[in-house]
Amino acid sequence: TQLLEQSPQFLSIQEGENLTVYCNSSSVFSSLQWYRQEPGEGPVLLVTVVTGGEVKKLKRLTFQFGDARKDSSLHITAAQPGDTGLYLCAGDGGSQGNLIFGKGTKLSVKP
Amino acid sequence: DSGVTQTPKHLITATGQRVTLRCSPRSGDLSVYWYQQSLDQGLQFLIQYYNGEERAKGNILERFSAQQFPDLHSELNLSSLELGDSALYFCASSARQGVHYGYTFGSGTRLTVV
């Protein structure tokens, strides 16, 4: 069974700080996605990484896919209160043809 | 508004009852996915439909069933409800099969079984 482990589980920081959250697996994924979920809402897709070693930037967010395609990281520069939310990584579930999700990192950015 | 509509937003019901959750996918999307989200288990895949046909099944209980209709909307039926079925139920849609394209999620239905 493919599993995605996310760390840390919780992160509380001050506005302006930098942070990195991680998504790890013992399995190889053809792609990984990152979603952000706010309370009372469904997850919203931020990015898809497909190639090992790939780096994608979305304003202050930098996403990296590991060379072996088993892990990914999300780095946020100068965090803002609007970045608060649950960050989920997801990868293809193999033969099931669906996404499997990690349990997420709950980020709180205090003004 | 993501374009995926789920109703109702909240549902409170008693143990042993049956409920139906409804999902309208984003216009043009043929695939519909159902997920259950609880605090301890995270997002768990239940079932996928593509253009009216069941394509993949995850950890869906026998008490749960789903279908996708010709107009592409989908319904998730939960029966003989137990306290442990209390959770957020999300529907997501995508234009094509294949996870690389990403999913668009609805706002979910919060089910509380009392």
Side-chain angles (χ1 to χ4, degrees):
Chain A
T1 304
Q2 293 174 297
L3 287 174
L4 286 165
E5 306 266 352
Q6 290 192 246
S7 62
Q9 197 174 350
F10 300 97
L11 190 55
S12 181
I13 61 171
Q14 292 296 128
E15 183 176 0
E17 292 183 15
N18 301 332
L19 67 114
T20 302
V21 299
Y22 301 92
C23 173
N24 295 293
S25 176
S26 58
S27 304
V28 175
F29 287 90
S30 58
S31 67
L32 277 179
Q33 297 174 5
W34 285 90
Y35 290 77
R36 183 170 75 202
Q37 184 178 15
E38 298 185 24
E41 297 297 327
V44 175
L45 178 66
L46 297 174
V47 77
T48 301
V49 285
V50 179
T51 307
E54 181 177 5
V55 176
K56 278 192 174 178
K57 291 193 174 183
L58 188 66
K59 296 182 182 177
R60 294 175 294 100
L61 277 59
T62 302
F63 305 85
Q64 184 161 9
F65 200 10
D67 291 340
R69 291 185 288 127
K70 291 184 179 181
D71 56 87
S72 181
S73 64
L74 158 59
H75 181 80
I76 302 179
T77 303
Q80 298 177 1
D83 296 325
T84 293
L86 178 67
Y87 288 82
L88 297 158
C89 68
D92 63 87
S95 59
Q96 285 194 329
N98 57 278
L99 279 177
I100 60 170
F101 283 81
K103 291 190 177 182
T105 292
K106 192 167 184 179
L107 173 65
S108 174
V109 182
K110 300 186 187 315
Chain B
D1 182 7
S2 68
V4 177
T5 304
Q6 287 189 249
T7 56
K9 196 159 177 67
H10 301 278
L11 198 48
I12 301 174
T13 190
T15 53
Q17 294 298 304
R18 173 190 168 95
V19 297
T20 297
L21 312 184
R22 183 187 167 102
C23 168
S24 293
R26 199 176 51 166
S27 178
D29 285 358
L30 299 179
S31 280
V32 170
Y33 310 82
W34 286 97
Y35 282 80
Q36 180 192 57
Q37 187 176 40
S38 59
L39 282 174
D40 55 342
Q41 293 294 321
L43 269 166
Q44 296 288 310
F45 170 68
L46 295 178
I47 198 163
Q48 178 206 354
Y49 282 84
Y50 178 80
N51 203 20
E53 291 187 10
E54 182 185 305
R55 283 301 173 97
K57 240 177 180 178
N59 300 321
I60 187 165
L61 299 171
E62 284 192 14
R63 300 183 285 109
F64 296 0
S65 65
Q67 54 184 327
Q68 185 179 29
F69 295 86
D71 67 352
L72 301 178
H73 92 271
S74 179
E75 292 180 358
L76 179 67
N77 300 296
L78 315 176
S79 62
S80 303
L81 285 167
E82 302 174 0
L83 295 178
D85 297 327
S86 296
L88 272 166
Y89 291 85
F90 286 103
C91 165
S93 71
S94 65
R96 310 171 215 182
Q97 288 205 99
V99 299
H100 303 317
Y101 303 106
Y103 295 175
T104 301
F105 281 83
S107 297
T109 293
R110 181 176 292 279
L111 173 66
T112 303
V113 183
V114 296

